[in-house]
Amino acid sequence: MIVVLRPNITRKQETEVLREIRKLGYTPHVIRGVERVVIGCIGDERTQHSLETLISWPQVEQVMPVQKRYKLVSREAHPRDSVIPAGPVRIGGKRVHVMAGPCSVENEKQLMTTAHAVRQAGATVLRGGAFKPRTSPYEFQGLGEEGLKLLAKAREETGLAVVTELLSERHVDVVAEHADILQIGARNAQNFQLLIAAAKTGKPILLKRGMSMKIEEWLLAGEYVLANGNPNLLFCERGIRSFETYTRNTLDLCAVPIIKEESHLPIVVDPSHGSGRASLVAALCKGAVAMGADALLIEVHPNPAEAWSDGGQQLTLDRFARLMKELEPAAEAAGRTLKED
Ligand code: PEP
Ligand code: MN
């Protein structure tokens, strides 16, 4: 930490601050400038008392942290890329995995048709919401446990891994029983008790970025998962709130290389929620792969016009199959592949 004192304070006031810094377990080093005194405080900011409270002292002008607030998710902790096992797939290696499926599980026919089609096109993970976080309480809330059973059946029939959202601590066990990856949605990205409960299952967690979440906050939310004994975490960029209204959210592709720099964990990109528009999904997928995404999460529906949720952003089965073909050269150009590696 660096503590900057206000100009023109007395030696006595300075000594009081130095005493407090030592009391909190840090070693102060004083730099005396022309107008101000700057104190470098040596000590581990993450394990000792924070010096931030010094800002309430009248003689202190600024307190600046030097260390990052996250540890286990950071590249420093683990310089090489982590590869996360999720059911039959391993995410974070050379292969760019595609997770695809409907926004909501609606019925057996819809899910099975989609599952077979996306597998045929090259996806390795089936997505589908059984518990849906809807903005309005009058909208379809998901099939619940019945939806989970259909997802498990689709996994059995196709061999795809399954990712589905966990909305409540009450459903941790049942969702963990049926899914290979537990999705924590944007609306729950800082629901720390839910993150801890999900982490304790040991299942891989796909942590979406909250819609107003800074990258540091997202990394710290991920830190909750690792700090609770679960190393299997995937970050998922799904767009943030901005002033722009052409798109549902603003997909922040900057987050991809930033997460790669800051963390050893894989980054997944969701261009469906990230834009809200099916016509933009292909371009955003190519951009995401070029930027270094380790996986894509894409909404696909046999008949988007009749979908029970998010109809405007879901791809048809045909469009998805074409997209998978278009993506291969983009993956190759980025030194990756969509096929088995
Ligand atoms: C979803 O993936 O279905 C979903 C609700 O996503 P988000 O949490 O990103 O809005
Ligand atoms: Mn959706």
Side-chain angles (χ1 to χ4, degrees), residues 103 127 132-133 165 183 185-187 208 238 270 273 299:
C103 179
R127 67 143 286 144
K132 295 302 302 175
E165 180 160 354
Q183 176 174 324
R187 292 156 190 80
K208 294 243 192 160
R238 50 76 72 199
D270 169 357
H273 295 88
E299 286 194 339

Side-chain angles (χ1 to χ4, degrees), residues 5-14 33-37 58-59 61:
L5 302 184
R6 289 191 190 282
N8 309 320
I9 62 157
T10 63
R11 276 295 173 112
K12 182 168 173 283
Q13 287 174 309
E14 182 188 315
V34 179
E35 284 186 3
R36 279 178 179 71
V37 171
Q59 55 269 63
E61 188 172 81

Side-chain angles (χ1 to χ4, degrees), residues 95 99 127 180 202 212 216 258 265 275:
R95 183 175 192 175
M99 309 174 174
R127 67 143 286 144
D180 299 293
S212 303
E216 187 195 24
I258 293 174
L265 294 160
S275 69

Side-chain angles (χ1 to χ4, degrees), residues 1 20 24 49-57 60 63:
M1 285 272 188
E20 180 67 9
L24 289 170
H49 289 292
S50 170
L51 290 177
E52 269 164 16
T53 49
L54 282 177
I55 196 66
S56 62
W57 287 46
V60 173
V63 179

